[in-house]
Amino acid sequence: MWRDHLTEIIIFTLLFLLVSVMGFVAARWRAPRDMAHLDEWGLGGRNFGGWITWFLVGGDLYTAYTFVAVPALVFGAGAMGFFAVPYTIVIYPLVFLVLCRLWSVSHRHGFVTPADFVRSRFDSPVLALLVAITGIVATMPYIALQLVGIEAVLKAMGVTGESTIARHLPIIIAFAILAAYTYQSGLRAPALIAFVKDTLIYIVILVAVLYLPYKLGGWGEIFDAADAKFDASPSPGDGVLLNANNQLQYVTLAFGSALALFLYPHSITGVLASRNRDVIKRNMSALPAYSLLLGLIALLGYMAIAAEVKPLPGASEGTVDNNTIVPLLFDQQFPSWFTGVAYAAIGIGALVPAAIMSIAAANLFTRNIYKEYLRRDATPAQEANVSKITSLVVKIGAVACIVFLDPQFSIDLQLIGGVIILQTLPAVALGLYTRWFHRGALIAGWVAGMGLGMWMLYQISSPTRKHFAGSAFPLEKFGFDTPKTIYVGIVAVLVNLLVAAILTLILRAVKVREGVDGTTSDDYFADEGDPRVMPGDRQDADAAPEPVA
């Protein structure tokens, strides 16, 4: 009953209201004279320094879903759940090479979205449209998943109802408040709130990893308890160590997730809001500190096993909701006031990424669908207004996903989202270094990769679902005599690249027109203080500029 958790509810509510007030105040924080421009509303004026960017990007990537789902996976499967730790380490050197170039060319040309860059680079509105739609589709379930974290906390506090509306009413109210201050303050709201969110999470996790092992008898007892549980598990892939059954899935999932992480539009939005290239370089060097935190968060799954935490019932009859194990662990092991702080950290941890994701999806719709196809003469003020309204629609869609779908299915949708966003890698990430691929070949590669990826995902089943039950594809379906699985995204993007490469050679051989590159080599090294060329201002757009290797 919720009355047994009154202290937690009060502290959770007060901290939630505090960040809500900060969200509305953010409209006046470093605000320009005119917020009616996507550069200001959607990118915070492109003027965030090192500390703000570090908290913003970190708050964007390490979400409430991470806080509850990573330890939940460790709790349920063991070592497989640690895939999130190496992929967040692998990604930063890779994106160090990519994001500085993306920031520079976006700064020079006023690009707001990755699809803006693709439109100019390959002179292809169709390819840009595919990149925009891909980004929006991949982001939507990611926003919905932030609600899974809040819902897990509400369940642990007993704030549930009998009817669907009563059960989800607190989430609906929370996202209504989020929608209001995001509409008013734009990217400045999550940037300001990120300071509070990350500070709370660091405090909660550091206290947990110091106090809980002491209370549970030490790390030896914790790992012994986990080992005993997985020894009794019927699944051959479960265990505190990887084995022959899950090593391939672990490696491909970690590497594929690393490639996908900074292709998500919300990740790029945080980077484009940076003041200059040096800010990005420093952040790519410092962000691995979050990976240390993530490793500590993952260990909460083993602590929950040692503490004999029993997950609450799931949405479907006969199932359990492993996402509740972290809230229940804190509820059982800590005093009420600290549990309330931990719950608030998870709840606020959902607001920051959800706000950034909705802004990023709205910017994609505004710049690459509305302006490109519906109203080419839209003014900056009209663009900003459409983006604000679209961000509201996106949040409503996310709430609808969590209200009307099984939350477990929403988690599977997020894994599917990673497969989807990976198909933009050839055009966006590789496009920053080379224009060798033909625009028609990139479109064909996207179709091939997306088609194969969807087919593979459709073939994946589980005891509770016949199709789309995750992203681990059994190799036996390809004719291999092995029980091993592989991450769908890796296979799909390799096919994407193969088709794009072969078709590029064919289209070049028959001399199909390639379009004009709207960028020059200097654009990829521009920095703060370099003159910017806004879309529509470029006088030589139809001329053949210097090609980029």
Side-chain angles (χ1 to χ4, degrees):
M1 290 291 294
W2 65 268
R3 292 183 182 85
D4 299 328
H5 303 276
L6 192 57
T7 302
E8 292 100 314
I9 293 173
I10 291 173
I11 293 176
F12 176 87
T13 304
L14 289 176
L15 287 172
F16 191 91
L17 291 176
L18 171 63
V19 299
S20 298
V21 171
M22 292 176 64
F24 287 107
V25 171
R28 299 184 180 183
W29 175 55
R30 306 178 62 169
R33 293 181 179 178
D34 183 15
M35 282 280 286
H37 197 292
L38 280 187
D39 271 13
E40 298 297 341
W41 184 83
L43 292 179
R46 300 180 186 259
N47 197 37
F48 289 158
W51 279 107
I52 298 173
T53 302
W54 190 74
F55 279 105
L56 179 66
V57 176
D60 182 15
L61 301 181
Y62 299 88
T63 68
Y65 173 62
T66 304
F67 202 112
V68 298
V70 171
L73 184 55
V74 171
F75 176 87
M80 191 65 197
F82 284 92
F83 84 93
V85 178
Y87 97 66
T88 59
I89 297 172
V90 168
I91 184 59
Y92 295 115
L94 296 176
V95 299
F96 187 95
L97 302 173
V98 172
L99 292 184
C100 287
R101 295 175 71 91
L102 179 60
W103 183 92
S104 291
V105 70
S106 299
H107 168 81
R108 180 66 67 84
H109 290 267
F111 298 151
V112 176
T113 70
D116 283 348
F117 161 71
V118 170
R119 172 69 170 87
S120 180
R121 178 67 150 150
F122 295 99
D123 193 17
S124 175
V126 174
L127 183 59
L129 177 64
L130 292 178
V131 171
I133 293 174
T134 303
I136 294 170
V137 171
T139 301
M140 283 294 294
Y142 220 148
I143 302 173
L145 278 176
Q146 304 315 307
L147 299 174
V148 172
I150 298 179
E151 189 168 59
V153 168
L154 295 176
K155 278 186 177 181
M157 292 192 296
V159 185
T160 57
E162 295 298 327
S163 67
T164 300
I165 296 299
R167 187 167 64 252
H168 295 291
L169 185 60
I171 292 178
I172 295 172
I173 294 173
F175 256 56
I177 296 172
L178 169 67
Y181 66 66
T182 303
Y183 184 93
Q184 176 178 321
S185 305
L187 194 65
R188 286 173 171 81
L192 187 59
I193 296 171
F195 284 93
V196 177
K197 173 249 184 186
D198 289 353
T199 300
L200 285 176
I201 288 181
Y202 265 103
I203 291 173
V204 169
I205 295 304
L206 290 177
V207 170
V209 297
L210 292 174
Y211 174 73
L212 287 178
Y214 166 77
K215 189 172 181 181
L216 295 173
W219 286 107
E221 292 291 331
I222 291 172
F223 280 97
D224 286 344
D227 206 23
K229 175 188 175 181
F230 296 129
D231 282 345
S233 172
S235 174
D238 292 351
V240 295
L241 296 175
L242 296 174
N243 55 52
N245 294 305
N246 57 19
Q247 287 175 353
L248 179 63
Q249 173 67 17
Y250 183 93
V251 171
T252 55
L253 180 57
F255 185 62
S257 298
L259 294 177
L261 187 61
F262 271 91
L263 290 171
Y264 278 106
H266 55 275
S267 303
I268 293 175
T269 295
V271 170
L272 295 186
S274 304
R275 179 185 301 145
N276 54 42
R277 287 168 64 98
D278 283 343
V279 168
I280 300 172
K281 292 175 182 178
R282 290 196 301 269
N283 270 275
M284 293 306 105
S285 301
L287 278 169
Y290 277 96
S291 299
L292 172 63
L293 182 67
L294 181 59
L296 299 178
I297 290 174
L299 289 172
L300 294 176
Y302 288 157
M303 296 180 199
I305 294 174
E308 300 182 352
V309 173
K310 303 298 182 186
L312 293 175
S316 304
E317 186 176 352
T319 63
V320 295
D321 184 3
N322 280 348
N323 290 317
T324 60
I325 63 111
V326 169
L328 291 174
L329 175 66
F330 281 101
D331 184 49
Q332 293 178 13
Q333 302 296 325
F334 285 100
S336 297
W337 67 269
F338 188 81
T339 302
V341 173
Y343 288 173
I346 298 174
I348 297 169
L351 299 183
V352 172
I356 304 171
M357 291 170 190
S358 65
I359 290 170
N363 289 345
L364 280 168
F365 173 82
T366 301
R367 289 297 291 265
N368 308 114
I369 298 177
Y370 175 77
K371 186 174 177 65
E372 181 75 41
Y373 293 97
L374 302 178
R375 190 164 186 175
R376 288 181 174 270
D377 61 346
T379 65
Q382 289 171 334
E383 285 184 9
N385 191 51
V386 168
S387 199
K388 289 179 180 180
I389 295 172
T390 305
S391 73
L392 298 179
V393 175
V394 168
K395 293 184 185 70
I396 292 172
V399 172
C401 286
I402 206 67
V403 170
F404 297 109
L405 294 178
D406 182 344
Q408 183 59 46
F409 185 56
S410 297
I411 294 170
D412 292 335
L413 282 178
Q414 193 275 331
L415 296 174
I416 294 170
V419 176
I420 292 172
I421 201 64
L422 263 177
Q423 306 317 308
T424 65
L425 184 143
V428 177
L430 298 185
L432 288 165
Y433 276 89
T434 178
R435 199 174 179 268
W436 181 81
F437 290 103
H438 193 286
R439 57 184 179 178
L442 287 171
I443 293 171
W446 181 93
V447 172
M450 195 68 71
L452 176 64
M454 290 300 103
W455 176 83
M456 292 174 68
L457 291 167
Y458 181 81
Q459 300 298 317
I460 298 173
S461 60
S462 72
T464 58
R465 191 174 305 113
K466 292 184 178 180
H467 307 290
F468 296 104
S471 61
F473 186 79
L475 287 178
E476 60 185 16
K477 291 184 180 292
F478 277 148
F480 294 97
D481 185 18
T482 175
K484 294 181 180 179
T485 59
I486 190 170
Y487 178 51
V488 171
I490 286 291
V491 179
V493 77
L494 287 176
V495 169
N496 183 338
L497 287 167
L498 181 63
V499 170
I502 293 174
L503 198 57
T504 292
L505 296 174
I506 295 174
L507 293 175
R508 288 237 172 86
V510 298
K511 301 186 184 308
V512 175
R513 184 176 179 272
E514 298 188 40
V516 177
D517 186 356
T519 69
T520 67
S521 58
D522 288 343
D523 293 341
Y524 296 87
F525 301 95
D527 206 346
E528 183 182 19
D530 289 351
R532 287 174 54 193
V533 181
M534 299 299 291
D537 293 344
R538 197 177 181 94
Q539 300 301 317
D540 60 343
D542 294 326
E546 177 187 353
V548 181

